[in-house]
Amino acid sequence: MKSSTLRSPARPATARLPEPVILISGISGSGKSVALAALEDAGYFCVDNLPPELMPEFIRLQRQREVSHIAVAVDVRNAASLPRLLPLVDQLRREGTRVLPIFLESRTDTLVKRYSETRRRHPLSARQDSQGTAYTALIEAIETERALLAGVHAIATVIDTSDLRPAQLRSWVRQLVGAAHSALTLIFESFAFKHGVPRDADLVYDLRVLPNPHYVRELRALTGRDAGVVEFMQAQPEAAEMLAQIETFLNRWLPAYGMDQRSYLTVALGCTGGQHRSVYGVETLAARFRERIPTLIRHRELEAKDMSL
């Protein structure tokens, strides 16, 4: 299929969208403080735990001060005000303020482990009622929090931090805000099924049915970015066919995803170890799309390994 079949929503070539306000939210313990620190290091004026009712006035004051890079964190610590958040986001957008919501998520077992290690109390673990203070079990508090934040989760770009190191999260957040001027950014992410499917994926493809370079002794220690593995995969007709079918699907439906007011579309490709087939697939597809649409690459397992060295 020719590249001309992929068309992004129309926009003048010289137009540049205004800087969006970054709205950070998510499950407690999923890394919001790390994300805010990354934005602050990138030059954003950041405020944590801002009551939603104060957002419009806060943004107006910062714009008057000619502050263009603004990030706000809103979460369950302002539980009583959360129902007002989505209407306020809609209001800001109607008034011409771009808002980019980023939601940080993690598996419950990961969150329990993090709370155990830090010995911090979950914001909903102690709830005040007419009879005094009622203490809530951690898992129950996490599930209550998920329910309270479901509306924000539905409109946001989600990052699953369950298997991410802080350095990875900082990098991914910077990538997201760096591509925020595009109508739609395509993210290709490789992962290992043995470590779980990324919860932030919009589309997931299973490459485990393809021939595995892991069983070729000379290729076992290499990755899908190395020439030997690339040559091996290029010699497999099944690999070429599968990637062509994924490309055809994306060519057909990317315009519709763009018209759906999405900022990002995450396409996750998985194999057993996240080292060979999925990495090769991500690199190959990203090369085919990056000339036509803003494209980011993530290698979840490889990046985690690199940052542990």
Side-chain angles (χ1 to χ4, degrees):
M1 184 173 292
K2 296 181 180 180
S3 62
S4 60
T5 59
L6 174 61
R7 301 185 185 277
S8 299
R11 176 174 289 117
T14 58
R16 180 175 174 83
L17 296 173
E19 293 290 343
V21 173
I22 309 300
L23 174 62
I24 299 290
S25 189
I27 306 301
S28 301
S30 59
K32 293 190 296 296
S33 60
V34 173
L36 276 182
L39 292 174
E40 192 167 46
D41 291 344
Y44 278 77
F45 187 97
C46 301
V47 60
D48 189 17
N49 198 22
L50 183 72
E53 300 93 331
L54 300 182
M55 276 183 59
E57 182 65 13
F58 170 76
I59 293 169
R60 184 184 67 80
L61 290 173
Q62 297 310 311
R63 295 302 195 207
Q64 286 180 350
R65 296 175 55 228
E66 299 185 353
V67 176
S68 59
H69 294 73
I70 301 170
V72 176
V74 177
D75 53 43
V76 79
R77 288 171 292 177
N78 279 296
S81 299
L82 282 176
R84 301 183 181 92
L85 179 59
L86 297 188
L88 285 170
V89 170
D90 289 338
Q91 173 190 325
L92 288 167
R93 288 171 168 170
R94 287 194 303 269
E95 294 173 351
T97 299
R98 295 184 65 214
V99 180
L100 173 61
I102 298 177
F103 191 97
L104 304 184
E105 171 70 282
S106 286
R107 295 189 300 269
T108 298
D109 62 325
T110 301
L111 294 170
V112 171
K113 181 180 178 181
R114 289 174 183 172
Y115 273 102
S116 175
E117 291 173 347
T118 62
R119 298 187 178 181
R120 297 187 64 185
R121 177 179 293 175
H122 189 281
L124 300 181
S125 62
R127 304 290 297 274
Q128 189 74 28
D129 57 23
S130 58
Q131 304 300 318
T133 301
Y135 289 91
T136 304
L138 177 56
I139 292 178
E140 181 182 345
I142 292 171
E143 295 310 314
T144 300
E145 183 178 25
R146 291 192 198 281
L148 290 171
L149 294 173
V152 186
H153 182 282
I155 67 166
T157 298
V158 179
I159 299 179
D160 180 5
T161 71
S162 302
D163 301 301
L164 298 187
R165 295 176 181 273
Q168 282 180 278
L169 176 56
R170 288 192 290 269
S171 175
W172 288 16
V173 168
R174 287 194 295 265
Q175 287 177 358
L176 288 180
V177 300
H181 289 291
S182 307
L184 177 68
T185 297
L186 187 58
I187 301 172
F188 287 105
E189 178 178 349
S190 68
F191 71 95
F193 272 98
K194 67 181 181 180
H195 296 312
V197 176
R199 297 165 66 98
D200 50 9
D202 297 297
L203 302 171
V204 177
Y205 294 96
D206 186 350
L207 274 58
R208 289 176 295 182
V209 296
L210 301 179
N212 192 350
H214 174 80
Y215 296 111
V216 179
R217 183 171 57 84
E218 296 79 7
L219 304 179
R220 184 170 300 174
L222 303 180
T223 77
R225 295 178 295 194
D226 293 317
V229 175
V230 171
E231 292 172 4
F232 175 90
M233 296 303 298
Q234 288 178 338
Q236 312 303 320
E238 310 99 303
E241 181 180 2
M242 177 176 284
L243 295 183
Q245 290 175 347
I246 296 173
E247 182 181 7
T248 298
F249 178 88
L250 292 175
N251 277 324
R252 168 63 182 86
W253 291 106
L254 268 176
Y257 284 118
M259 296 302 293
D260 193 38
Q261 303 301 311
R262 291 171 179 259
S263 298
Y264 305 92
L265 182 73
T266 301
V267 182
L269 279 64
C271 61
T272 305
Q275 178 169 309
H276 297 111
R277 293 166 291 182
S278 61
V279 172
Y280 168 78
V282 161
E283 294 285 341
T284 301
L285 288 172
R288 296 177 185 177
F289 281 94
R290 64 166 53 99
E291 296 301 321
R292 297 173 270 164
I293 185 172
T295 301
L296 300 177
I297 289 177
R298 296 174 179 169
H299 295 303
R300 191 180 73 182
E301 321 308 344
L302 292 189
E303 291 173 12
K305 182 186 299 184
D306 290 343
M307 291 177 181
S308 66
L309 297 178

